[in-house]
Amino acid sequence: MMHASPTLPGIDVLWPLCLEIASRRRSRQPPPAADAGAPIAWNAAGGFALQGLWDDQALELFDLLKPLLDQPRAGTPWAIGQLGQSLDGCVATHGGDSNYVNGPEMLVHLHRLRALCDAVIVGAGTAAIDNPQLTTRRVPGPHPVRVLLDPALRLPATLRVFCDRQSATLLACDAARTSEAARRVGADQVLGVPGLLRPDGSADLHALQAALQQRGLGVLFVEGGGVTVSRFIAQGCLDRLHLSIAPVIIGAGRPGLQLPRSAAMRDCLRPPGRLFRMGADVLWDLDLRAARPAD
């Protein structure tokens, strides 16, 4: 009589373990104790590792998420960005329509990143056009703190994130405009950042990260849009980038990454990367920290 082989644990088993790791990090608890029967083991030198047998989908998801899960419980801020774009490098049509550049698998991945990070950051332009919820409604897990980067106070108080109370929301503005922002959306939803607004009108993202770190928000997810993600990269504030490419050609749309010009190919940023399939989309996991010149 033949016996069916036991089913290997999959993503449904792995995902709660990932959420537990993130929860312990937020509460500054040590990693889960590792023993011979533990499904995930922690090693200070190598970070988290799966133990035992798992199905292929769980192994691939863990491999993709491991750099985020390994982040320390204290210290300097760490940020991961995500950008979904077309084959010709656009994140939206010329009029701003971005629904949907990527397929459903990437949307699930987006919500997983939200659930594992302390806060999700979007720029004022993306918030105004998309009016996003920035929740984890596609996966089990906690909603992140929602941070809207709006140094010039352009956003209306009617946006869903200011009204729905599904999760904590912070309107990040220059400290000099804290009172004005509080009158718009309430003092509990304002983060006044000293020195956020630079003389050229752009945001000092190091100052933003420091202010969020002081609130215990050290692992950040920069979700968009293209301008905001590009500025995080240009200022050296993004450690990792998940760049997803969809099999669509938009043509004369809104560009994704917009970085300063390089004079020669040898000067271009060449981050180590790994490739993952997400349904019809291709996801590049790019290690920007490793691509930076040594201090």
Side-chain angles (χ1 to χ4, degrees), residues 73-267:
R73 279 113 196 99
T76 58
W78 188 89
I80 183 171
Q82 190 275 341
L83 205 59
Q85 64 182 42
S86 63
L87 290 170
D88 52 346
C90 298
V91 296
T93 65
H94 179 72
D97 181 12
S98 61
N99 294 327
Y100 293 94
V101 173
N102 293 115
E105 294 85 358
M106 271 307 306
L107 291 176
V108 170
H109 177 63
L110 188 74
H111 286 227
R112 285 187 177 132
L113 292 180
R114 292 176 183 173
L116 295 177
C117 291
D118 302 334
V120 57
I121 301 172
V122 296
T126 294
I129 293 172
D130 294 346
N131 194 11
Q133 297 179 66
L134 303 176
T135 61
T136 59
R137 58 197 178 276
R138 289 179 178 265
V139 298
H143 303 318
V145 174
R146 303 174 294 189
V147 180
L148 279 67
L149 180 57
D150 187 19
L153 293 186
R154 295 186 292 151
L155 294 175
T158 54
L159 291 182
R160 287 189 290 191
V161 290
F162 296 133
C163 305
D164 63 18
R165 298 292 174 175
Q166 293 191 74
S167 182
T169 299
L170 294 172
L171 174 61
C173 66
D174 192 86
R177 307 191 71 171
T178 301
S179 297
E180 182 183 351
R183 288 193 295 271
R184 292 190 185 189
V185 300
D188 63 320
Q189 297 197 114
V190 174
L191 175 64
V193 181
L196 178 63
L197 195 60
R198 303 197 297 191
D200 63 0
S202 64
D204 185 332
L205 300 175
H206 290 281
L208 174 65
Q209 286 186 308
L212 292 172
Q213 179 77 20
Q214 289 179 354
R215 289 190 173 228
L217 306 174
V219 177
L220 309 174
F221 175 31
V222 185
E223 187 170 319
V227 172
T228 299
V229 172
S230 298
R231 287 175 176 170
F232 265 82
I233 295 174
Q235 292 187 33
C237 293
L238 202 64
D239 297 277
R240 214 161 189 103
L241 176 64
H242 283 183
L243 182 66
S244 57
I245 312 297
V248 60
I249 298 174
I250 293 177
R254 297 193 175 185
L257 294 178
Q258 303 172 62
L259 299 173
R261 294 179 180 177
S262 298
M265 285 300 298
R266 64 177 177 273
D267 300 325

